[in-house]
Amino acid sequence: MIFGHFGFPKLGVIGAAIGTVISRVVEMGINVAAGYNNKYLRDAMRLDKISGDIFKNVVKRGIPLLCNEILWSISIALISQCYSTRGLEAVAAINITTTVTNFFMIICYAMGNSISIIVGQRLGAGEIEYAKDYDLKMVFMNFMMCLGIGVALFGCSSFIPQIYNTSIEVKSLATSLLRVSACMLPIISLYYSSYFTMRAGGKTLLTFFFDSGYTFMFTFMVALCLTRFTNLPIFNVYLLVQCVDIPKAVLGITLVKKGIWVHNIVNEL
C-alpha cells in the first residue's frame, strides 16, 4: 500500500496507516480466537465477579504501571521534540537511529519480559533463593547478548543508513548516532533487566520512579537544557543524553543487588 506493489494502489503515508490498522485488526482476531479456544481464558471471561481484595491489589499495582507507560511515552515525545530543534537532518537521522536500534534491541526487550515471567514464577512459588539466582544469571545473559548485538550494530552502522532514500549528510549523521546507540546497548540491557526484576516482585511504584520518573526528570531535562541553552550539534546532544542512562543502569543494578525487589505478591492476593 505504500509503494503500490502486488496489485495494491500506491498510497504512500496513507497506505502505511491503512496497513497498520488492518494488521492490528488481524492481530486482535488471532488473539480473540486463541483466547476463546483456551479453556482457562474462556472460564476466566465467564467469572461473575472478582473479590474486592483482589481488585484493590490489582488497582494498587496496576495504576503505577499505567502512569509509568503514559509518562514514559510523553517523555520520549518531548525528547524527540528537543532533538527536532536541530533541524530536519537531525530529525531524519534520529528516526533512522531509533528504528534500527529498536530492531536490534528485540532480544533485550524479550529477555526483560522473560525475567519478569521466570523470576516472578519463582517468587510466587516461594523459592526466593532460586529467584535471586535466576535473576542474576538472566541479567548477565542479557548483558552479554546485548554486548554482542552492540558489536554487530557498530559494525553495520555505516551500511544500514545506505538503504534509506535520503541525503548523504543524513546518512553520515545516522551512522554516527548508530555507533553511539551500539555502545549504549549493554548499558540499556542493565537498566531494562533491573526494571523487569523490580516488576517481577510487584514493586510497581518503585519501577514508576525508576523508569519514567528518571526519564522525565533527568533524560528529558538534560535534552531540554542542551537544546535550549547551548549550540551543540545534534551528535553531541545525542551522546550526552544517552550518557544520562549510565547512572540509571548503576542505580538499577544497585537496587537489584540490595534485594528490595524480593517480594511474594501471591501471598497478598
Side-chain angles (χ1 to χ4, degrees):
M1 288 187 176
I2 298 175
F3 301 106
H5 296 324
F6 305 108
F8 288 98
K10 184 177 180 180
L11 300 176
V13 175
I14 296 176
I18 294 173
T20 300
V21 172
I22 292 174
S23 70
R24 292 293 184 265
V25 173
V26 172
E27 180 184 11
M28 182 186 69
I30 294 172
N31 285 324
V32 169
Y36 183 79
N37 291 324
N38 185 293
K39 183 179 182 302
Y40 180 83
L41 293 177
R42 190 166 60 246
D43 291 343
M45 288 186 285
R46 291 175 179 172
L47 286 175
D48 294 329
K49 62 179 181 179
I50 298 175
S51 70
D53 290 338
I54 292 180
F55 179 77
K56 289 178 183 178
N57 272 289
V58 170
V59 171
K60 175 184 175 182
R61 302 188 188 284
I63 291 298
L65 290 179
L66 175 63
C67 295
N68 181 69
E69 296 301 321
I70 294 173
L71 182 59
W72 186 84
S73 298
I74 293 173
S75 300
I76 296 302
L78 291 174
I79 292 170
S80 297
Q81 192 281 328
C82 291
Y83 290 148
S84 70
T85 61
R86 289 300 188 263
L88 292 177
E89 288 186 358
V91 172
I94 290 292
N95 285 338
I96 293 173
T97 302
T98 302
T99 301
V100 174
T101 302
N102 285 341
F103 176 78
F104 275 81
M105 280 191 61
I106 289 175
I107 291 180
C108 180
Y109 298 142
M111 281 297 297
N113 281 289
S114 298
I115 288 174
S116 65
I117 294 170
I118 296 175
V119 174
Q121 286 179 333
R122 297 300 96 199
L123 289 174
E127 300 172 351
I128 304 301
E129 294 305 317
Y130 276 109
K132 291 180 179 179
D133 183 56
Y134 280 26
D135 184 70
L136 178 64
K137 291 175 179 177
M138 294 186 74
V139 169
F140 178 74
M141 284 177 58
N142 198 11
F143 177 82
M144 294 305 297
M145 286 192 292
C146 285
L147 180 62
I149 294 170
V151 171
L153 176 57
F154 194 95
C156 299
S157 59
S158 60
F159 304 106
I160 295 176
Q162 304 306 317
I163 66 176
Y164 287 86
N165 182 21
T166 186
S167 66
I168 296 176
E169 292 76 13
V170 170
K171 292 177 181 179
S172 176
L173 179 57
T175 296
S176 300
L177 298 182
L178 281 173
R179 287 172 178 167
V180 174
S181 293
C183 295
M184 287 300 299
L185 279 181
I187 303 299
I188 294 173
S189 74
L190 292 178
Y191 73 70
Y192 259 95
S193 297
S194 303
Y195 168 77
F196 281 104
T197 296
M198 288 182 275
R199 269 184 54 170
K203 299 294 185 179
T204 54
L205 185 60
L206 178 60
T207 59
F208 168 77
F209 290 111
F210 174 74
D211 188 30
S212 62
Y214 186 97
T215 301
F216 183 82
M217 292 300 298
F218 295 100
T219 310
F220 163 60
M221 289 301 174
V222 169
L224 181 67
C225 292
L226 290 175
T227 52
R228 296 300 192 276
F229 305 118
T230 75
N231 294 317
L232 291 173
I234 184 61
F235 174 80
N236 300 73
V237 173
Y238 185 80
L239 174 63
L240 292 172
V241 171
Q242 292 298 304
C243 287
V244 177
D245 285 335
I246 295 176
K248 183 177 181 179
V250 175
L251 174 63
I253 293 300
T254 302
L255 292 173
V256 169
K257 285 181 64 177
K258 286 182 176 297
I260 61 175
W261 58 275
V262 179
H263 185 221
N264 186 348
I265 63 174
V266 176
N267 293 334
E268 298 181 4
L269 299 178

